[in-house]
Amino acid sequence: MPAKPVLLVIAHGSRDPRHAATVHALVRRVRSLRPGVRVETGFLDFNIPSVHGVLESLAAEGVRDVVALPLLLTRAFHAKADIPAVLRDAPPRLRIRQAEVLGPSPLLLSALDRRLYEAGLSPADKSSTGVVLASAGSSDPEAIAVIARLAREWQRTGWCAVRPAFASASLPRTEEAVRELRELGCARVAVAPYVLAPGFLPDRIARGAAEADVLAEVLGPAPEVARVLLERYDAARTPALAAVGA
């Protein structure tokens, strides 16, 4: 039986050390769920190892097949341009398939629920609680539309109301969405960061949640997030997905 492709998790990277620590914690959870798959991590910027460095090392070892998985929640610039460009520069002996980004997924909604419950809410609070779905933000209309649609879907699971907010590039900001939910009459307001790891923009989300009743943690190494990674890996392994650059 041929070896399973190596799963290369591609993270953005950050000067904030919490970012890399959270990425590595998530990768450890993925490894624990699928011990038969080799999982490596590469960063686009700020942290090491770089994506290019990992690909060079894999090629030097004789690895043939790689699934490159963007650790991103939406298909914006990094998924559409940055990552494909890096993968095109990989050693030619590697056959690389780029997996889809993580979102949207019902599992990510479950992870958001998990973080809110860990922050003190309970399922019984849903009907009286308004939630701000706070993402990093993007100038890509497709990514913004995905967040808005996700907010609508999440509201249908029983929350009083769900409003999207963005830490950059788009509006409204977190604090504006908090005020809107207050004016709507929700008994309490919670902020759920729709981000994977701590850093500059998640800190901005936290500041914008100052007037909320509850602030959840970032998604981080939630088990549901790890399961989405493996779903994307499995889908990318199928022959129907063309190799990058093919």
Side-chain angles (χ1 to χ4, degrees):
M1 179 179 293
K4 293 185 177 74
V6 171
L7 170 54
L8 172 58
V9 176
I10 301 179
H12 182 274
S14 171
R15 292 186 179 90
D16 189 323
R18 297 173 298 168
H19 175 90
T22 302
V23 170
H24 291 311
L26 174 58
V27 168
R28 286 195 296 271
R29 187 178 288 275
V30 172
R31 289 182 180 129
S32 72
L33 292 175
R34 194 72 65 85
V37 173
R38 178 177 176 181
V39 187
E40 299 291 342
T41 309
F43 295 91
L44 290 173
D45 209 350
F46 301 117
N47 302 104
I48 55 173
S50 67
V51 176
H52 182 74
V54 174
L55 292 171
E56 291 279 357
S57 295
L58 291 173
E61 289 180 32
V63 170
R64 181 74 176 91
D65 291 309
V66 176
V67 169
L69 194 154
L71 197 60
L72 301 167
L73 294 171
T74 58
R75 286 191 74 252
F77 182 79
H78 292 304
K80 294 177 179 179
D82 282 354
I83 291 175
V86 172
L87 298 181
R88 282 194 295 270
D89 287 338
R93 66 163 288 113
L94 293 175
R95 185 174 69 176
I96 304 174
R97 295 182 174 93
Q98 181 175 330
E100 290 295 332
V101 298
L102 302 185
S105 168
L107 284 170
L108 294 177
L109 289 181
S110 297
L112 288 164
D113 282 338
R114 171 189 292 274
R115 293 301 188 227
L116 285 171
Y117 298 154
E118 290 171 349
L121 295 177
S122 74
D125 297 321
K126 293 184 78 167
S127 62
S128 58
T129 302
V131 182
V132 178
L133 179 65
S135 75
S138 173
S139 58
D140 188 308
E142 178 187 351
I144 298 304
V146 166
I147 299 300
R149 185 166 62 248
L150 188 67
R152 293 193 295 270
E153 292 174 359
W154 200 20
Q155 181 171 323
R156 287 197 288 268
T157 69
W159 294 102
C160 173
V162 179
R163 295 292 184 269
F166 307 93
S168 68
S170 308
L171 295 173
R173 294 287 185 257
T174 302
E175 53 269 32
E176 295 166 352
V178 169
R179 287 195 292 268
E180 180 185 348
L181 291 170
R182 291 273 188 226
E183 293 167 1
L184 195 62
C186 298
R188 68 186 63 80
V189 176
V191 173
Y194 189 58
V195 293
L196 288 165
F200 177 76
L201 293 178
D203 284 349
R204 181 179 289 177
I205 290 171
R207 291 193 298 271
E211 296 181 7
D213 302 295
V214 174
L215 171 62
E217 293 291 330
V218 300
L219 294 173
E224 295 86 355
V225 178
R227 287 168 57 196
V228 176
L229 261 72
L230 289 170
E231 284 186 356
R232 299 294 184 257
Y233 168 78
D234 290 335
R237 289 175 60 198
T238 62
L241 187 63
V244 171

